[in-house]
Amino acid sequence: MRVEPPVPAEALSAIRVALAAAGATPVDAPILQPLNLLLDLAGEAMRARLFVVQAEGGEEACLRPDFTVAVARQHVDSGAKAGRYFYEGPAFRSAPEGERPEEFVQLGVELFAPGGGATVEADAEIAGLAWRAAVAGGRGDLTLWLGDVGLFSTFIESLSLPAALAARLKRVAGRPRLLNAELLRAGEAASPAAGGQLAAMLSGLGEAQAAALLEEVWALAGVEPVGGRGPGEIAHRLVRRTEAASAPALTQAQALAIRAFMGISEAPVAGLKQVRALAGKAKGLDAALADWEARLAGLVDVPADRMRFAPALGHAFDYYDGLTFEVRSAALGDDRPVASGGRYDGLLARLGGSRATRAVGCVVRPWRAFSGGEA
C-alpha cells in the first residue's frame, strides 16, 4: 500500500489550528466500516476504490475511505441532538493508476444541529473553515469552488418533468456519470427490455415476492451470491434499473437546458444570475437564491476573485443534498481537491437518526494543502 508522506509538524499544526476555530470535540472513528453502506452511498463503481476485508463467515467491511460517514454513525449512536466534532487520522482508497497514495491523512470538522437552526450560517462557517485550513498549508494558487445539489433539484422542478423522471434526476444530481447517462438518453423511446428480462419479471412483484423469486433462481442455477448483498436488496436494484430504462426520457430541449445549468462556471454573482435566467420562476428559487446571498456574505475571509460557482459540483458520495464545495489548487487540478465538503442533512436519517437533524462538514488533505507536498 502506498502511504502518503508525513506533513512537516509546523504546516500540519497551522492547518489544525485553522480548524480549531470551530470549537469542536476531538473524536476518532473505527477504521473498519460496513461495505454495503458505503456502496449504497457511492454506488457499485466505488467498490474498486475501497479496500475490502472479510472475516471467515462474516459480512464484508472496508477500510474507511473518509471520516464523514463514520463520524455521523457515531453521532447517531450517541443519541445526541447536536454535536461538533473534529477528527484527524488516516483514510484509505485504492488508486489503480499506481501514482497516488492509498493511505492518507485527513483532518475535518462535522457539525450536527437540530432542525430550524441557522443552516446558511453554518454552511458559510464550514466552507470558511475549509478555506482557511487549506490556505494555512502555504499554497498560493487556491480557489474555492461552490455548488448546490439542492439548487439543481429546484431547477429540475422548473422543467415540469414526469414525477418519476424528475425524482431520478434529483437522485443522481451529485453523480456526473449517472446524470450524463440520463442526458445521453434524451429523445429515446422507453425500452423495458433494457433492464433485462429477469428485472422486468421482478418489477411486477412485491418486494418479498421478488426476493423469493430471485432466491429460487439462484437455487436452480446453483449460484452463490457474492458481495454481501441479500436477495431483497439485489431485487430492489434490478427493479429500479428496469424502471429507469422504461421510464420516459428527457426531450432534447430539456437535456439542453440541463446541460446549460450543469455548464455554469462563473464568479458567484454572475453564476447565480445564470441560474435565475434558466430556472425562471421555479418554486423555491427566490428563497434558494436569497440563501446564497447570505452564504456569500458570510464568506468574508475568501477573496472575491478566488471564488467560483458551479451549481452541478458533486462528490464521490451521493449523500450531499445542499451546499457542496471544494478548495482546488491550480497545480493539482480539478480531481485532487485540497479540501471538500458540504451539507448532507438526509444522511443521518439514512443511518437511523432523526430526519430533523441538520448536518454539514468539511475535510482537508494536509499533504495537498502543504506548499511542499503533493505535486
Side-chain angles (χ1 to χ4, degrees), residues 12-25:
L12 185 59
S13 177
I15 296 169
R16 192 183 292 126
V17 166
L19 292 175
T25 301

Side-chain angles (χ1 to χ4, degrees), residues 52-104:
V52 178
V53 297
Q54 183 177 24
E56 186 174 355
E59 292 188 359
E60 286 184 311
C62 65
L63 303 186
R64 65 185 176 213
D66 74 358
F67 276 80
T68 300
V69 173
V71 172
R73 291 179 64 216
Q74 288 192 158
H75 176 76
V76 169
D77 291 344
S78 75
K81 293 183 177 180
R84 285 175 168 252
Y85 306 107
F86 166 81
Y87 55 82
E88 177 179 346
F92 309 84
R93 292 192 196 181
S94 173
E97 63 271 21
E99 298 176 359
R100 300 181 186 178
E102 296 176 310
E103 178 183 335
F104 48 86

Side-chain angles (χ1 to χ4, degrees), residues 233-283:
E233 188 173 1
I234 293 174
H236 177 75
R237 287 175 174 272
L238 286 171
V239 168
R240 176 174 284 185
R241 184 177 301 175
T242 294
E243 290 174 345
S246 60
L250 291 162
T251 66
Q252 293 292 352
Q254 291 165 343
L256 284 173
I258 293 173
R259 289 187 189 280
F261 182 92
M262 292 174 60
I264 295 173
S265 177
E266 301 283 352
V269 173
L272 291 168
K273 286 183 178 178
Q274 289 190 28
V275 170
R276 166 68 75 184
L278 287 169
K281 297 182 179 180
K283 182 179 179 181

Side-chain angles (χ1 to χ4, degrees), residues 24 26 105 128 130 142 239:
V105 172
L142 301 180
V239 168

Side-chain angles (χ1 to χ4, degrees), residues 38-39 42-50 175 177-178 229 237 316:
L38 273 297
L39 294 180
E44 288 289 345
M46 188 66 177
R47 180 185 284 269
R49 299 293 313 280
L50 302 176
R175 297 166 71 176
R177 182 180 63 83
L178 297 179
R229 295 186 179 276
R237 287 175 174 272

